[in-house]
Amino acid sequence: MVFGLEGWIVFWVLFVVFVFLGFYGSRWRKGDLSQLHEWALAGRKLGVFLVWFLVGADLYTAYTFVAIPSLEYASGSLAFFAVPYVSITFAVAMLFMPILWEKSRQKGYITAADFVQDVFNSKILAVLIALTGIIAELPYIALQIDGMRAVLSVMLFGYSGVKAVSEWALIISFIILAAFVYTSGLRGATLGAVFKDVLIWISVIALIVVVPLKYGGFTTAFADAAKAHSFVSGLEALKPTFASAYVSLFIGSALALYLYPHAVNGSLSAESKSKLRMSTALLPIYGIGLAILAIMGILVYSDPAALNITKVLSGLASIPAIAVTAFPQWFAAIILLGIFVGGLVPAAIMAIAQANLLTRNIIKPLKRDLSPKAETEISKWASVAFKFIALAFVFLTPLTYAVQLQLLGGIIILTTLPAVFIGLLTNKLEKYSLIVGWFVSLVASIYLVLLANHFKTLSTSSYVLFGHPIFIGIIGLGINLAIVAIGTIIKFAIKK
Amino acid sequence: MVSFMEEANKKLSSGRIIAIAILILIPFFVYFLYPTYNKVNPTIDGLTFFYWYQTLWLGISGIMYAIAAYLWDKR
């Protein structure tokens, strides 16, 4: 047992505070929550700080705490692609999202698919974009649940019946989460995000100060890690053979993040265009925590007690394990709750975004006479349903390299880039080639994922092209853009 | 870049557009040129150059983007 009564009490007290904030959200900056934009976009009233927290909350997820450190722990320096990703993605966002924000404010869009339908005057394209968004979120939510599971597995380390207990704990947490998202919508999630981020910043600062000092600094850590095993992608720096994977992963991930429905949702909830731009611009600073956490995947090698836990469980447990071995129980509880809620809040935001797409872009076109109230009601229930679909998905599939789940989501969502991002700049693209490009690139990408993994468990997202491993999302995007370019050129050639 | 600026529905001076473009593009090129940072030395307290250099640039890019955002929306 590494986590005793004192830790459990602090953990549960903090969890109760979190739940209280979630429900209290419905009263905070009160609005008519039967309106979809009030429920799903918090009335579009969030300022620089709150958008920073809300969008930052999408970033500081199980991806940061569990997936990236575990990749660093297992494969080494390749995991650090997440650092340039974080910088570049906000450059992409500050260019594109204010444009979408403005168009949405003028025309009342709530999703990217709303926009696509309007600009290309194609319902089919809008439905396809919406479906792609819904599906791409699922592995990302699954990743959040994997992170929460990693926390529970460390808390329960040494107790018996771990699997059943942690599954029940997850189910109960999800019921509570579903209840407060239903009542408070994005307001509840935003308050939860602020609370979570306070815990997380305390944790990150504590980890970077305490861990290197306690275990003899980075020199010792690199030496201990090198002794443990050889790192496929390199330890102190990147092996040259992984350069193409590194660059394509960070560019692909950077382009993908703001195509995700939840990132669109977060951006549209901003109060003004300039506030959105400023808070997005400042987000790379938030990413410094991500870099620190990634390095923990190496520091864990000089903490024998934590290493012992990760060897039994998996690399996913690196940071939770360091938390319980390097800190007193009550403080470990703060870190663990931060990571746990760090999976819950993004999962909630993602499910809200999925629900919006379902009602706005799939159900509403089929059932025109839907009242705004019914629309919101369907969204609320859909957000509940999506959370449990993701939970079932996690229980039914084997634990894999968690980061691959996020990359799979990225590969899927990148197929929507031409319609959404290029659509924001010009409406001259040929719409049927957008549909063909979407279809061909999606099929090709999924086929390449299967091929790269030899039709077995998901363990890589790169495909070797001309001797260089390349992120499949970038290959798919290349195919897609080529088709759209050809279609658009033909359209203009015929017109002349 | 210009089409982004036009969306803002206001005239930004060309000097300001160039400044914004440079501020946003520099971090991209810094990270894109991976051979410049894919090395071990100099280290900081044992942390290799590869790790600390890229982390440092997160802070610098945040500041550069914030200046760009300020120039963009300043009246």
Side-chain angles (χ1 to χ4, degrees), chain A residues 15 34 70 83 116 143 147 183 245 262 287 413 435 441 465 468:
Chain A
F15 188 71
S34 65
S70 85
V83 168
V116 167
L143 164 64
T183 46
H262 65 267
I413 203 70
I435 296 174
S441 64
L465 211 62
H468 297 283

Side-chain angles (χ1 to χ4, degrees), chain A residues 35 43-44 57 152 201 219 225 230 255 280-281 285 287 293 310 318 321 399 442 455 471 486 495:
Chain A
Q35 297 283 322
R44 307 190 200 242
L152 290 169
W201 275 109
T219 316
S230 74
L255 291 172
T280 309
I285 293 167
L293 292 166
T310 54
S318 303
L399 207 62
L442 187 63
F455 297 89
F471 177 43
I486 292 168
K495 264 191 185 168

Side-chain angles (χ1 to χ4, degrees), chain A residues 58-377:
Chain A
D58 296 345
L59 182 76
Y60 258 99
T61 69
Y63 178 76
T64 317
F65 276 99
V66 172
I68 292 299
S70 85
L71 185 65
E72 183 74 47
Y73 170 87
S75 312
S77 53
L78 180 65
F80 228 58
F81 84 83
V83 168
Y85 150 46
V86 165
S87 172
I88 308 304
T89 200
F90 296 119
V92 172
M94 66 180 281
L95 293 175
F96 288 100
M97 298 325 267
I99 308 178
L100 182 62
W101 186 94
E102 188 158 57
K103 291 183 191 290
S104 302
R105 187 56 65 102
Q106 286 163 1
K107 306 255 176 82
Y109 306 142
I110 288 189
T111 67
D114 285 348
F115 157 72
V116 167
Q117 162 152 4
D118 216 21
V119 75
F120 295 111
N121 192 21
S122 168
K123 286 195 178 120
I124 300 172
L125 190 59
V127 168
L128 295 176
I129 300 287
L131 273 176
T132 312
I134 292 173
I135 291 168
E137 292 283 16
L138 282 174
Y140 211 162
I141 299 180
L143 164 64
Q144 308 309 326
I145 302 171
D146 270 349
M148 293 159 66
R149 233 187 185 176
V151 170
L152 290 169
S153 66
V154 170
M155 287 171 71
L156 293 163
F157 192 75
Y159 293 89
S160 59
V162 173
K163 191 165 184 288
V165 175
S166 71
E167 287 190 356
W168 275 109
L170 280 177
I171 291 170
I172 294 166
S173 316
F174 264 63
I175 292 171
I176 297 170
L177 178 73
F180 87 58
V181 170
Y182 182 92
T183 46
S184 317
L186 198 68
R187 285 179 167 79
T190 307
L191 284 187
V194 174
F195 175 68
K196 159 195 159 242
D197 285 7
V198 171
L199 297 186
I200 288 199
W201 275 109
I202 296 171
S203 308
V204 170
I205 292 165
L207 282 165
I208 195 62
V209 172
V210 170
V211 177
L213 284 177
K214 191 161 179 175
Y215 300 105
F218 294 108
T219 316
T220 323
F222 279 109
D224 289 340
K227 264 183 267 162
H229 64 101
S230 74
F231 290 77
V232 190
S233 63
L235 176 62
E236 296 181 309
L238 194 66
K239 285 186 186 162
T241 45
F242 281 87
S244 60
Y246 193 85
V247 174
S248 60
L249 277 167
F250 82 64
I251 294 177
S253 300
L255 291 172
L257 183 68
Y258 275 85
L259 293 167
Y260 276 109
H262 65 267
V264 170
N265 218 31
S267 303
L268 296 189
S269 62
E271 189 185 353
S272 77
K273 198 169 63 172
S274 55
K275 285 181 179 170
L276 172 62
R277 189 163 3 244
M278 186 50 92
S279 74
T280 309
L282 289 167
L283 275 164
I285 293 167
Y286 220 126
I288 294 170
L290 175 143
I292 292 170
L293 292 166
I295 297 167
M296 291 290 149
I298 292 169
L299 285 166
V300 70
Y301 285 97
S302 46
D303 176 351
L307 195 59
N308 186 34
I309 298 173
T310 54
K311 277 182 179 157
V312 176
L313 298 170
S314 76
L316 298 177
S318 303
I319 295 197
I322 292 176
V324 293
T325 55
F327 294 94
Q329 300 252 323
W330 64 271
F331 197 82
I334 293 177
I335 301 177
L336 292 177
L337 187 87
I339 305 174
F340 190 77
V341 176
L344 266 183
V345 172
I349 299 171
M350 289 169 191
I352 291 173
Q354 284 178 307
N356 289 341
L357 286 171
L358 182 73
T359 31
R360 295 279 295 193
N361 306 109
I362 297 173
I363 295 179
K364 200 159 186 203
L366 295 173
K367 204 172 162 2
R368 290 277 181 76
D369 54 350
L370 209 59
S371 71
K373 206 170 174 177
E375 191 183 355
T376 311
E377 197 61 20

